[in-house]
Amino acid sequence: MFSKILIANRGEIALRIIRACREMGIKSVCVYSEADRNGPWLEIADEAYCIGPAPSAKSYLDISRIMAAAEIADVDAIHPGYGFLSENAHFAEVCQHSGIAFIGPNPDAIKTLGNKAAARAAAVAAGVPLLPGTKDLVETEQEAIEIANSIGYPVIIKAAAGGGGRGMRVAHNEIALVNGYLQARAEAAVAFKDDSVYVEKYLERPRHVEIQMIADQHGNYVYCGERDCSLQRRHQKLVEEAPSPAISAEMRRKMGETALKLARSCKYTTAGTAEFLVDKQGNFYFMEVNTRIQVEHPVSELVTRTDLIRAQIMAAAGEKLPFTQADVEVRGHAIEVRINAEDVDNGFRPCPGKITDLFVPGGPGIRWDSHIKAGYSIPPNYDSMVGKLLVFADTREQAIIRMRRALSEFKIEGIKTTIPLHQKIMHDANFMKGDVDTSYIEKVLLAKG
Ligand code: MV4
């Protein structure tokens, strides 16, 4: 097992990894930017090194600065968390060449699954269900038109290098298709320096359901149920839950086995997530694989009673997974709400600043994954998420009641947060019925006022 891990991240996920390390008897080393010098997680880590100024490009994204700290601290492994360098194949390669384990999949799996067109091809080869669409990249407007005519409108044009909803255009007719095709290519060229795109049938008002996967280097592959992340705004998830109100035990098994089929075909190891869209009839279609631990992993931990960060570290160290598929049973219901320092009434504008007072809910079935404390100033340079509030109960109904209770106890003074919106969601009749899709927040909940 590793004796020391460097955490190439900040905030709540850095703290989550520190906690796993401590329970495993592994020393934790944080790297931080000048903007984070007062980060409360740094006091809990065993060591901390400042690696540069506030902008991520000169600190959390600067591979040479991180590797210098890794050398000085003499670590065995690097955990990238989520965001930043977590899905950067080059970084994984640099770690490999430096003799430091990258706590994530091998660089080739990151490369294949990180390119949406390549991931689509891998899914086709593995026999994973997809929406009708192109086998290869679409090189001309004429080709796009021919494909759209053969699969029927509406269609979606997606950047191969995109992901998380960037570089996409929906088209309901030929004129929109040609415009969308050119726009998607131009946007992708700027955003990703790669203008390749592909075309797929567009599924309207889908649910977003993702399968948590974990694999070791001994050929053990396990899925830890699904998460429903349909409540999003502009591709930013707000609420996640497990199990999905739309998924039966039979469908869970089918989706889980499908996800693992793809993972096996890529020789995938450590933690990963296969994203699917689910239609009203209960058909599921593969979208993409996230080759990192995700923000919402704790909802899966709660319903499967696993420690995914621990399992991820064990897998990266070459150990066997601490559980098998037979051990993983989905029980109870978990909900997570993301508490962001944002002004919901003003377009979710980030509201960094000083937390003047803080009272955190507790009691039965509550988990609070956060790095904040009273007196802490949230720097303006990074993500606005200040913590994740999770509840766990026997049923979905009880979990919603528990979340309302927990939110009512919460006191975060000095900044605006998404707590009032979450209270609204927890009292929403459609959410209570489990009847929401990926357009619900924008089209219904925010519009209703
Ligand atoms: C789609 C789609 C409908 N049809 N693909 C957005 C993020 C990326 N993971 C895939 N995305 C979508 N792809 C087809 N063929 C709708 C979306 C989508 C979406 C997906 C999940 C969660 C929220 C979303 C919001 C808008 C669009």
Side-chain angles (χ1 to χ4, degrees):
M1 182 39 70
F2 304 131
S3 51
K4 215 181 199 187
I5 292 175
L6 182 143
I7 300 162
N9 216 300
R10 61 179 303 282
E12 76 83 20
I13 193 62
L15 181 52
R16 172 70 187 87
I17 299 160
I18 294 167
R19 285 170 169 157
C21 287
R22 185 138 309 154
E23 290 184 10
M24 297 174 82
I26 300 168
K27 292 257 181 287
S28 55
V29 178
C30 279
V31 289
Y32 64 95
S33 75
E34 285 166 13
D36 277 338
R37 62 170 74 259
N38 296 317
W41 67 95
L42 302 175
E43 293 169 38
I44 303 171
D46 291 300
E47 293 173 38
Y49 297 89
C50 186
I51 53 163
S56 304
K58 294 188 167 173
S59 49
Y60 297 108
L61 290 173
D62 189 324
I63 293 174
S64 58
R65 287 169 190 253
I66 291 166
M67 296 315 290
E71 292 292 336
I72 290 165
D74 192 25
V75 302
D76 316 300
I78 297 182
H79 197 307
Y82 50 67
F84 295 125
L85 295 168
S86 61
E87 298 185 273
N88 186 311
H90 172 65
F91 181 54
E93 250 160 16
V94 170
C95 290
Q96 207 170 53
H97 294 151
S98 310
I100 294 172
F102 174 78
I103 303 176
N106 66 72
D108 287 336
I110 302 177
K111 275 181 213 159
T112 303
L113 297 169
N115 182 292
K116 307 306 153 197
R120 202 169 195 280
V124 171
V128 170
L130 293 141
L131 284 158
T134 43
K135 272 224 322 287
D136 304 299
L137 298 173
V138 178
E139 308 282 2
T140 66
E141 294 163 44
Q142 195 51 42
E143 227 183 286
I145 292 168
E146 281 162 24
I147 291 151
N149 285 335
S150 77
I151 62 181
Y153 289 92
V155 298
I156 184 165
I157 306 114
K158 292 184 179 182
R166 296 172 308 163
M168 308 191 316
R169 286 289 185 285
V170 177
H172 290 267
N173 55 55
E174 194 169 308
I175 292 168
L177 174 71
V178 173
N179 285 331
Y181 172 79
L182 296 172
Q183 284 167 359
R185 282 197 84 137
E187 194 178 298
V190 175
F192 318 116
K193 298 186 187 75
D194 174 358
D195 72 347
S196 52
V197 298
Y198 63 100
V199 173
E200 217 174 57
K201 178 84 182 173
Y202 180 66
L203 185 64
E204 301 201 64
R205 302 175 73 92
R207 293 185 82 106
H208 170 130
V209 180
E210 55 187 34
I211 298 287
Q212 176 67 53
M213 310 183 285
I214 181 97
D216 63 22
Q217 297 170 17
H218 305 275
N220 299 304
Y221 289 79
V222 176
Y223 64 90
C224 295
E226 81 286 5
R227 295 183 287 262
D228 194 311
C229 311
S230 297
L231 283 183
Q232 315 201 352
R233 178 189 171 268
R234 301 197 179 166
H235 306 292
Q236 293 297 312
K237 293 166 186 165
L238 284 162
V239 178
E240 302 101 343
E241 62 181 306
S244 167
I247 302 292
S248 64
E250 169 65 6
M251 206 170 149
R252 172 172 311 120
R253 195 182 54 75
K254 268 193 204 157
M255 290 177 78
E257 284 173 5
T258 300
L260 293 188
K261 212 159 53 167
L262 177 59
R264 280 194 191 93
S265 78
C266 299
K267 297 189 164 57
Y268 197 91
T269 61
T270 71
T273 299
E275 264 185 46
F276 295 91
L277 296 187
V278 176
D279 68 16
K280 298 273 181 296
Q281 291 76 39
N283 300 304
F284 60 89
Y285 307 98
F286 170 74
M287 283 290 113
E288 55 190 73
V289 173
N290 299 313
T291 61
R292 61 173 188 276
I293 193 76
Q294 287 188 273
V295 173
E296 60 270 26
H297 76 275
V299 296
S300 302
E301 295 186 320
L302 290 172
V303 296
T304 61
R305 297 164 306 286
T306 54
D307 181 336
L308 291 168
I309 305 289
R310 181 190 187 92
Q312 188 189 27
I313 292 170
M314 288 174 74
E319 296 201 4
K320 286 192 173 146
L321 290 180
F323 45 77
T324 67
Q325 192 64 63
D327 299 323
V328 176
E329 187 196 342
V330 175
R331 207 169 77 200
H333 200 95
I335 304 175
E336 171 179 285
V337 297
R338 296 192 189 190
I339 313 279
N340 297 343
E342 288 171 0
D343 182 356
V344 172
D345 298 326
N346 283 293
F348 289 74
R349 179 174 53 85
C351 284
K354 185 170 175 172
I355 296 163
T356 54
D357 197 10
L358 178 68
F359 182 86
V360 175
I366 304 290
R367 173 170 166 181
W368 172 236
D369 275 24
S370 171
H371 58 290
I372 67 168
K373 64 177 185 181
Y376 173 60
S377 286
I378 300 156
N381 314 82
Y382 314 104
D383 192 90
S384 60
M385 194 176 76
V386 297
K388 309 181 299 204
L389 175 64
L390 290 113
V391 298
F392 179 66
D394 287 340
T395 66
R396 185 170 189 271
E397 193 180 14
Q398 287 170 339
I400 293 172
I401 290 168
R402 184 160 276 168
M403 183 62 88
R404 290 179 188 160
R405 188 270 291 173
L407 289 167
S408 76
E409 289 177 21
F410 231 131
K411 190 160 112 179
I412 305 182
E413 302 288 330
I415 56 165
K416 289 203 160 113
T417 74
T418 45
I419 289 174
L421 174 64
H422 289 308
Q423 260 313 12
K424 200 156 132 186
I425 293 169
M426 293 303 137
H427 287 86
D428 180 80
N430 290 299
F431 176 74
M432 284 159 66
K433 282 189 282 179
D435 182 19
V436 293
D437 58 56
T438 51
S439 61
Y440 190 71
I441 290 280
E442 275 146 307
K443 295 214 178 106
V444 183
L445 208 59
L446 291 174
K448 248 188 344 207

